[in-house]
């Protein structure tokens, strides 16, 4: 099982260093899809919950879709990740331990609400799908904030997921901001995203 985790991490590093900022190609799509797909296999072999395996598998589908060009590919990726977050919510909700801490919860809600100012006006026909996605990841992260202390790594992973999606939103819809630092954003996005998946998988697979 450790071999699968190692393969996932090695391919992820290769993608982050050499592929994430390059133009769309079939090979780039394969390299982007492999890390989380292999992570899903690792979670399944480790006896992880079905919700976790489903979340990772759907995320891998989303990775492939978002590696392609066009609005249809983006919408497919958005739907795949939305379903992945539904799976994470299904898993995390059963593990929550009371109410989430007030300050982190208020910060999360403030970030979600702020998207109506800096994101929604720039999303065009994708406005409502993006709003729905923001709502789902906010619920997922809110559940993670309410996890018991022993699952702190999963909560940290959920936070990294929120940050990665924030970077992705800037890249996709705020080109006026992203164009100047696109390569840096691409590397940061992948590091946050893959780190989030690894942290959540390791914390929740047992």
């Amino acid at each position: 099982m450790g071999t699968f985790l190692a393969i996932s991490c090695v391919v992820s590093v290769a993608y982050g260093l050499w592929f994430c900022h390059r133009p769309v190609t079939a090979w780039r799509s394969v390299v982007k899809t492999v890390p989380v797909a292999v992570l899903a296999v690792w979670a399944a072999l480790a006896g992880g919950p079905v919700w976790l395996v489903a979340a990772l598998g759907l995320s891998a589908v989303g990775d492939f879709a978002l590696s392609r060009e066009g609005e249809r590919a983006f919408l497919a990726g958005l739907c795949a990740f939305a379903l992945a977050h539904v799976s994470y919510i299904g898993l995390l909700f059963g593990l929550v331990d009371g109410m989430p801490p007030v300050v982190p919860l208020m910060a999360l809600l403030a970030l979600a609400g702020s998207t109506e100012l800096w994101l929604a006006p720039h999303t065009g026909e994708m406005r409502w799908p993006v709003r729905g996605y923001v709502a789902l990841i906010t619920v997922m992260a809110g559940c993670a904030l309410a996890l018991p202390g022993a699952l702190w790594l999963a909560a940290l992973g959920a936070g990294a997921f929120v940050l990665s999606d924030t970077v992705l939103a800037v890249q996709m819809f705020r080109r006026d901001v992203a164009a100047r630092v696109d390569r840096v954003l691409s590397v940061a996005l992948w590091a946050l995203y893959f780190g989030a998946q690894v942290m959540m998988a390791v914390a929740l697979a047992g």
Side-chain angles (χ1 to χ4, degrees), residues 139-152:
V139 172
M140 184 278 291
C143 289
L145 287 174
L147 292 174
L151 294 176
W152 63 269

Side-chain angles (χ1 to χ4, degrees), residues 15-48:
Y15 180 79
L17 291 178
W18 291 293
F19 290 95
C20 69
H21 55 278
R22 297 185 182 277
V24 173
T25 63
W27 181 238
R28 177 180 178 272
S29 296
V30 170
V31 176
K32 182 177 184 179
T33 306
V34 164
V36 177
V38 173
L39 199 59
V41 174
W42 172 83
L45 293 175

Side-chain angles (χ1 to χ4, degrees), residues 73-134:
F74 175 76
L75 186 58
L78 192 71
C79 290
F81 275 109
L83 291 172
H85 285 307
V86 170
S87 298
Y88 272 129
I89 291 167
L91 174 59
L92 297 178
F93 188 76
L95 300 172
V96 297
D97 182 24
M99 294 295 294
V102 174
V103 173
L105 179 61
M106 290 299 102
L108 175 64
L109 294 176
L111 176 60
S114 75
T115 61
E116 286 298 306
L117 300 176
W118 62 267
L119 178 59
H122 302 271
T123 53
E125 294 181 356
M126 298 294 293
R127 180 172 297 186
W128 281 105
V130 169
R131 280 173 169 160
Y133 183 84
V134 169

Side-chain angles (χ1 to χ4, degrees), residues 124-197:
E125 294 181 356
M126 298 294 293
R127 180 172 297 186
W128 281 105
V130 169
R131 280 173 169 160
Y133 183 84
V134 169
L136 279 174
I137 194 170
T138 300
V139 172
M140 184 278 291
C143 289
L145 287 174
L147 292 174
L151 294 176
W152 63 269
L153 189 61
L156 186 61
F161 222 138
V162 171
L163 291 177
S164 72
D165 278 343
T166 302
V167 175
L168 178 61
V170 172
Q171 277 196 311
M172 294 296 300
F173 299 109
R174 294 302 306 269
R175 296 304 303 168
D176 56 319
V177 175
R180 291 169 290 182
V181 287
D182 202 47
R183 182 165 182 168
V184 173
L185 289 179
S186 294
V187 174
L189 167 61
W190 182 253
L192 286 166
Y193 165 73
F194 183 71
Q197 296 282 28

